[in-house]
Amino acid sequence: MKQLFSKNYWADKDIQLMIGKQLRLGVIMSSTLVLIGGIIYLYRHGAEMPSYREFTGVRAGLDSFAGIIHGVRGIHGMEIIQLGVVCLIATPILRVALSVFAFLLEKDYLYVVLTLIVLGVILFSMLGDLAG
C-alpha cells in the first residue's frame, strides 16, 4: 500500500492522464446512455401527443436513484435518460475525488484538506436532503 502512494509509482503526468480519461469516459458513457434512452423513449412514445393544458411535474421514479435503477431494469427510456444525466453529474465529482489522490501523491496536504472539504460540501448538498 505504501508503494501505491509513492511518488515513484505514479508520475504527475500519469495522474493527469487518468483524470482526463475519466472525464472523457464519463461524458461518453452518459451521452451513450442518453442516446439509448432517447431511442427507446421515442420508439415507445414517439407517436403520442403531449398535453400542454396542465403541468404534470416530475413523474414518480425519476426523482430517486432507486426509482431510476428500477426503471432501467424495466428498460424504460426516461429512466435510462435520467441515469445518463446522473452519470454526467457524477463525472466532475469523481474528478474532485481523484484530485484528492493526486494531491496525496504530491504530499500537498493543504490541498488534500481543501479538496476533501469541497467534496464534502458537494456530497452534503446532494445527499443532505435524504435525512430530512
Side-chain angles (χ1 to χ4, degrees):
M1 186 71 164
K2 204 171 203 179
Q3 182 185 10
L4 184 65
F5 287 106
S6 72
K7 188 76 169 173
N8 297 334
Y9 190 79
W10 294 92
D12 190 40
K13 185 178 179 182
D14 294 334
I15 298 294
Q16 297 303 321
L17 287 173
M18 182 175 64
I19 289 173
K21 285 180 184 177
Q22 178 267 323
L23 290 172
R24 271 190 302 274
L25 182 66
V27 170
I28 290 169
M29 186 173 67
S30 63
S31 300
T32 304
L33 284 169
V34 169
L35 179 66
I36 290 169
I39 290 169
I40 292 170
Y41 183 79
L42 286 175
Y43 178 75
R44 290 185 179 170
H45 304 284
E48 295 177 7
M49 292 298 294
S51 172
Y52 295 114
R53 294 194 180 264
E54 61 184 59
F55 179 72
T56 56
V58 177
R59 198 184 77 201
L62 290 175
D63 56 353
S64 70
F65 192 69
I68 293 169
I69 296 300
H70 179 61
V72 168
R73 287 184 184 148
I75 311 175
H76 296 118
M78 272 186 136
E79 282 83 354
I80 295 172
I81 293 170
Q82 193 76 354
L83 181 63
V85 172
V86 169
C87 286
L88 188 63
I89 292 169
T91 297
I93 296 170
L94 184 58
R95 190 253 186 263
V96 173
L98 287 174
S99 295
V100 172
F101 177 67
F103 291 134
L104 272 173
L105 288 176
E106 294 175 4
K107 296 183 180 172
D108 197 345
Y109 300 115
L110 174 65
Y111 281 105
V112 169
V113 170
L114 291 174
T115 307
L116 284 173
I117 290 171
V118 168
L119 189 60
V121 168
I122 291 170
L123 292 177
F124 180 75
S125 68
M126 290 179 66
L127 304 174
D129 260 354
L130 296 178

